[in-house]
Amino acid sequence: METNLDARGKACPMPVIMAKKEMDAGNLQFSITVDNDIAVQNLKRLADSQGYQGSVRETGGVYTMDLHKKGGSEPRLSQPLQDQPAKTAGQAHPPRSWAVFLGKDTIGDGDQTLGESLARMFFYTLAQSEDLPRWIIFMNHGVKLPALDDQVAEHLETLQEKGCRIMVCGTCLNFYGLQEALRIGMISNMYDITVCLQEADKVITL
Amino acid sequence: MDFGVITFASTHAAIRTQKHLERHLRVTMMPTLREISQGCGISLRFALSELENVRRRMAAYDLDPKMFAIYRIRMVQGKYQAEQVDADRREE
């Protein structure tokens, strides 16, 4: 009989944890019910990363996601991340397997304004560079950059168009009350972020 | 793509000017181009369509003209070429 997990009322990342446990237990087909769109997005990414196919039904703000393992394929943790195409036509240098990690909204410690200026200039320079990271990850105070800084958001948009994946910690956005303010990037969770850090050949922490 | 930049003799002047100018026009903070050798590493980039606006506002701004310079930047055969714009003119 098909398992149906009820994750309504469960805060992030509980729905993802529940679904992951089911997958780890070898359940090839099950469904999970949640009550918010962020959980759906997180579950979709989990499904992709674990080789599951998902379809979502919504009724009155309640989402039921049916998941089943894609035929014969082994879990490929990096699949959705590595298959991201370089979207810009003629982009000669698609992103390589490295990541930039920002746990604060400045570069370095010291004067706040100087640190913010350095962050802006870093992303300006990176956006014009030919060697692009596959992932740019924002956590803790770092989420303020894609949410509140117009200039950084603009550079991130350019980077995203060139194929970089901008990942923004959903827990952190929630903590700072910035979910609605996010300008660019994908709301992400500790699972996805950890996988990126594990997959990356190098991680540059600013 | 051509654009304009303002360079500064000090970081503080660059940051202060950005706060002033961004109330009036769109400027983007960028590292000073290698082609322009200035003491401070922060420049402000703007669209050339705003050049006259920038000149006027910088002339009227409370900053010693020796502390900044305005350049017109052109990309020529894959390299930036910087041409300094007269920044000494004061608003009538």
Side-chain angles (χ1 to χ4, degrees):
Chain A
M1 187 176 162
E2 190 180 316
T3 310
N4 192 336
L5 305 171
D6 186 357
R8 283 175 295 178
K10 307 266 189 203
C12 170
M14 281 312 292
V16 174
I17 292 174
M18 290 166 71
K20 181 73 163 56
K21 269 188 186 165
E22 208 60 29
M23 291 169 177
D24 289 346
N27 196 339
L28 301 179
Q29 187 162 352
F30 63 98
S31 61
I32 180 164
T33 306
V34 295
D35 55 11
N36 67 84
D37 186 51
I38 290 178
V40 173
Q41 299 309 318
N42 286 335
L43 286 167
K44 277 183 183 169
R45 284 200 293 278
L46 175 72
D48 279 346
S49 71
Q50 300 297 309
Y52 279 71
Q53 206 147 30
S55 59
V56 185
R57 290 170 280 130
E58 194 235 323
T59 317
V62 174
Y63 305 81
T64 301
M65 189 167 191
D66 296 312
L67 293 152
H68 69 269
K69 182 87 173 178
K70 290 177 194 170
S73 67
E74 289 301 309
R76 287 179 58 200
L77 289 178
S78 58
Q79 188 177 29
L81 309 170
Q82 291 191 337
D83 288 351
Q84 177 76 6
K87 291 176 188 165
T88 305
Q91 173 68 26
H93 302 277
R96 295 192 302 136
S97 183
W98 60 286
V100 173
F101 180 93
L102 277 99
K104 51 195 173 191
D105 60 346
T106 59
I107 288 187
D109 297 311
D111 182 82
Q112 178 73 19
T113 309
L114 176 62
E116 288 168 2
S117 302
L118 294 173
R120 286 174 177 179
M121 292 194 290
F122 171 74
F123 284 110
Y124 175 94
T125 308
L126 191 63
Q128 300 208 334
S129 160
E130 291 185 341
D131 182 1
L132 301 174
R134 187 164 293 144
W135 306 286
I136 302 173
I137 300 165
F138 296 94
M139 292 189 95
N140 208 329
H141 249 186
V143 303
K144 291 186 172 183
L145 290 172
L148 300 179
D149 193 304
D150 291 346
Q151 289 185 31
V152 171
E154 195 176 311
H155 304 322
L156 291 174
E157 207 162 303
T158 304
L159 287 161
Q160 185 168 270
E161 282 167 10
K162 289 180 174 180
C164 301
R165 288 178 69 96
I166 316 296
M167 307 183 71
V168 187
C169 165
T171 306
C172 311
L173 285 169
N174 179 271
F175 182 88
Y176 292 112
L178 291 173
Q179 276 155 315
E180 301 300 320
L182 186 64
R183 299 267 308 274
I184 179 87
M186 184 174 67
I187 295 179
S188 193
N189 57 57
M190 191 62 87
Y191 287 97
D192 285 350
I193 289 172
T194 304
V195 169
C196 293
L197 296 175
Q198 290 165 333
E199 289 281 315
D201 291 337
K202 67 175 175 188
V203 177
I204 295 176
T205 303
L206 296 171
Chain B
M1 185 179 51
D2 298 348
F3 56 93
V5 295
I6 315 171
T7 60
F8 298 89
S10 88
T11 308
H12 290 284
I15 291 171
R16 184 161 72 86
T17 304
Q18 187 206 226
K19 285 180 181 163
H20 168 68
L21 284 182
E22 69 185 0
R23 293 201 294 267
H24 306 287
L25 66 134
R26 187 169 161 173
V27 289
T28 302
M29 204 170 246
M30 63 175 280
T32 300
L33 292 169
R34 296 186 188 98
E35 288 77 2
I36 309 169
S37 192
Q38 288 273 330
C40 160
I42 299 180
S43 293
L44 299 179
R45 174 176 173 156
F46 58 90
L48 276 178
S49 56
E50 296 280 8
L51 179 58
E52 281 312 306
N53 192 11
V54 167
R55 290 173 78 174
R56 258 199 329 274
R57 292 193 183 279
M58 290 307 293
Y61 185 49
D62 179 25
L63 182 64
D64 186 336
K66 293 194 189 91
M67 295 293 285
F68 69 93
I70 300 175
Y71 289 85
R72 188 195 300 267
I73 307 296
R74 290 196 180 89
M75 180 70 92
V76 180
Q77 293 176 336
K79 288 188 176 174
Y80 287 119
Q81 277 191 359
E83 173 202 345
Q84 188 166 356
V85 175
D86 173 21
D88 294 334
R89 196 178 63 175
R90 283 282 172 192
E91 210 171 35
E92 306 88 43

